[in-house]
Amino acid sequence: MAILVDDKTRVVVQGITGHQGSFHTSLMLEYGTRVVAGVSPGKGGQEVHGVPVYETVQEAVDKHGANASVLFVPAPFVKDAAFEAIEAGCSLVVVIAEHVPLHDAAAIVAFARQRGAIVIGPNTYGICSPGKSKIGIPPNSIFRPGAVGVVARSGTLSYEIVQAISQAGLGESTVVGMGGDRVVGLTFIDVLKRFEADEATRAVALVGEIGGTAEEEAAEFIKTMSKPVVAYVAGRSAPPGKRMGHAGAIIERGRGTYESKVAALTAAGVQVADFPWQVAELLRQKLGAA
Amino acid sequence: MKLYEYMAKGVLRENGVPVPPGRLARTPEEAEAAARSLGPCVVKAQVLVGGRGKAGGVKPAQTPEEARSRAGEILGMNLKGCVVETVYVESMLGIDRELYLGITMDNAAKRPLLIASASGGMEIEEVPERAIVRQPVPVEWGLMPYATRWVAHRLGLSGDLARQFGEIALKLYEIFRRYDAELVEINPLAVAGDRLVAADARLNVDDDALYRHPDLPRTSEATELEKRVRELGLAYVELDGDIAVMANGAGITMATLDVLQRYGGRPMNFLDAGGGAAAGPMAEALKVLVSTRPKAIFVNIFGGITRCDDVAQAVITARREVGISMPMVVRLVGTNEEKGVEMLRGEGIQAYRSMEEAAARAVELARAGEGVEG
């Protein structure tokens, strides 16, 4: 078991003929991901690393049963490409690009909600269920199949923590990069619910950062979970953030700081690591005791 | 990107939201001339930081002469690190009450949120929860007139004021959408006799959407140093420590600063060279770090899209072109790690694999360098 993606996930790569699209298609294939088709408008009929390229996502879905899409398209074209994937029936859409306009991201998330699709990103490295499937751009070498579910807002910081979990021999059930942008498709709670229900997951690592209220909201849900959760929150040393006028302050109402997040998580029984490399050790203690 | 008050008010005016007449002034003489045509007025510092009123950046003037001397006091004033270069001279309103009206993106709910209060003004952030009205707006359908009537009713507005409030709220939502705003805010929304008027305004535009707003003016709060690095396409924020940092990815860069601080070090900057930056821009960014004369430089890379050999090349290039006289610690793992480590070894630099050891070493070297002139 794993969450969101597994060896049955059939992936279409939008923007497959581009530099990044082509490069990461080869790495995903190397990892064992079932990349069944690519899409690049104007370039249908070609092949990239043996993967057939089509004009539309609909063809990829109809001819190859693609049910997930990963977008390697520049930020200004992300909204259109994501809508196309959702309309064509992909139930999972992974948006790698950073700098996607905020209003575009909100529109994508709203459309996905209407159609019951899940959006990972924007500004994400993607998702990996080790040994089964990787959709996105993280290095193949850091993963190892195992018992820890990892959910993160930031990218490279989770590579750091995932690698430590792998090296500690624990391994991961699924690693989800929700994306670093302010509006992304998933919330911590969406992912935590799935980990709680997933048989392969025995503990969860949550990698958060300052800003927004996602960690505080996650803490409320964690109180209801049976599985142990360990967290790391980045941004302890950041100077008081640049606030977005009064409306931002009114929404956050004192939440959003490092102290607020750690307090909320601790109150929910989460052990918060002082250093990123301690996450794996804390997980080992939890799993050893379980 | 934040717009100055006068720019935000220009956008509001163009879109039919009532704002007081006003004129921009760069000198006390210009302020005097503006006041001559406006009558009793308020002289307002044009800065991008909030809280200028409490800091003395907003002053009333009854006569043109008074406007001239008030402008003389405000121009050149340092408000929270921003030097005031222009003032906005605005016709004085007879304000009976102050409301608050803002629209922003509720990131957690992933949709726009209209926020209003009958207790607007400078203390808005202290207003108790029960005095704040929130109206979520569905992305698909936008703000409907009925929703603005609900909000007006909950604010205790009736009759023509309620009608005016609804019109302003709908126009504000149009502005929020049309300009890719992160925030559009009127505080206070003044009740002046039988009219509602935007006495102050804020409009923050999403940086990632600026490409589709070529006609909007551009502003920047960045320091010269920050501008130099950002022009390379990298994220940079100046801090006040003595260890210069380059890492890749916002999360790991923040974590790097946290770790240095926990070890007793003081980071000098946030430099995120993530997103697969090429060797060239990274070398240029390193040169900027060297020019700030830190006690030590810490490069912390977990290569994903970023390739370790590109990082090594950047270090080597910067060293050859400007020399790096201060101690430097490089931690390098991930994509093309062996190649990068080998390249550095050829230059006599021993790269670290462990972030823990590397960070501890960087703090130690910065301490050793204390008191020594770079």
Side-chain angles (χ1 to χ4, degrees), chain A residues 102-103 156 160 182 184 246, chain B residues 110 125 181-182 206 248 331:
Chain A
L102 180 66
H103 287 245
T156 21
E160 187 89 40
R182 287 160 297 176
V184 294
H246 297 302
Chain B
K110 308 171 196 302
E125 285 173 37
E182 294 174 337
D206 176 14
N248 64 321
R331 184 270 184 143

Side-chain angles (χ1 to χ4, degrees), chain B residues 15-165:
Chain B
N15 287 277
V17 176
V19 295
R23 280 169 58 184
L24 198 64
R26 286 179 181 77
T27 62
E29 293 69 31
E30 286 179 11
E32 181 179 355
R36 216 168 283 290
S37 66
L38 292 167
C41 59
V42 185
V43 182
K44 304 164 99 175
Q46 295 301 289
V47 285
L48 297 173
V49 294
R52 65 181 174 167
K54 284 181 192 167
V58 178
K59 295 180 177 179
Q62 296 300 331
T63 64
E65 293 70 29
E66 206 184 339
R68 178 195 180 108
S69 53
R70 295 293 89 83
E73 290 158 21
I74 295 172
L75 286 164
M77 193 183 251
N78 190 318
L79 287 179
K80 299 182 180 179
C82 296
V83 176
V84 182
E85 288 171 0
T86 52
V87 291
Y88 191 52
V89 184
E90 194 173 64
S91 189
M92 196 184 282
L93 289 168
I95 299 182
D96 302 315
R97 280 167 60 202
E98 297 187 330
L99 312 176
Y100 171 90
L101 175 61
I103 301 173
T104 188
M105 195 64 82
D106 182 343
N107 297 336
K110 308 171 196 302
R111 64 181 169 222
L113 180 68
L114 183 151
I115 302 172
S117 177
S119 313
M122 289 202 280
E123 309 295 337
I124 182 67
E125 285 173 37
E126 314 303 327
V127 168
E129 194 59 33
R130 63 187 149 71
I132 290 173
V133 176
R134 292 155 196 264
Q135 180 67 42
V137 184
V139 177
E140 301 91 320
W141 323 118
L143 183 66
M144 302 278 282
Y146 78 85
T148 69
R149 293 195 295 274
W150 285 12
V151 174
H153 179 71
R154 288 169 67 191
L155 293 177
L157 297 175
S158 59
D160 199 55
L161 282 181
R163 186 194 57 77
Q164 289 178 47
F165 179 86

Side-chain angles (χ1 to χ4, degrees), chain A residues 45-81:
Chain A
Q46 300 182 7
E47 274 196 0
V48 174
H49 304 298
V51 175
V53 180
Y54 296 97
E55 290 290 316
T56 66
V57 179
Q58 196 64 58
E59 288 172 272
V61 170
D62 291 345
K63 293 185 177 148
H64 299 276
N67 54 13
S69 175
V70 56
L71 274 56
F72 288 98
V73 303
F77 307 106
V78 159
K79 181 177 167 186
D80 184 48

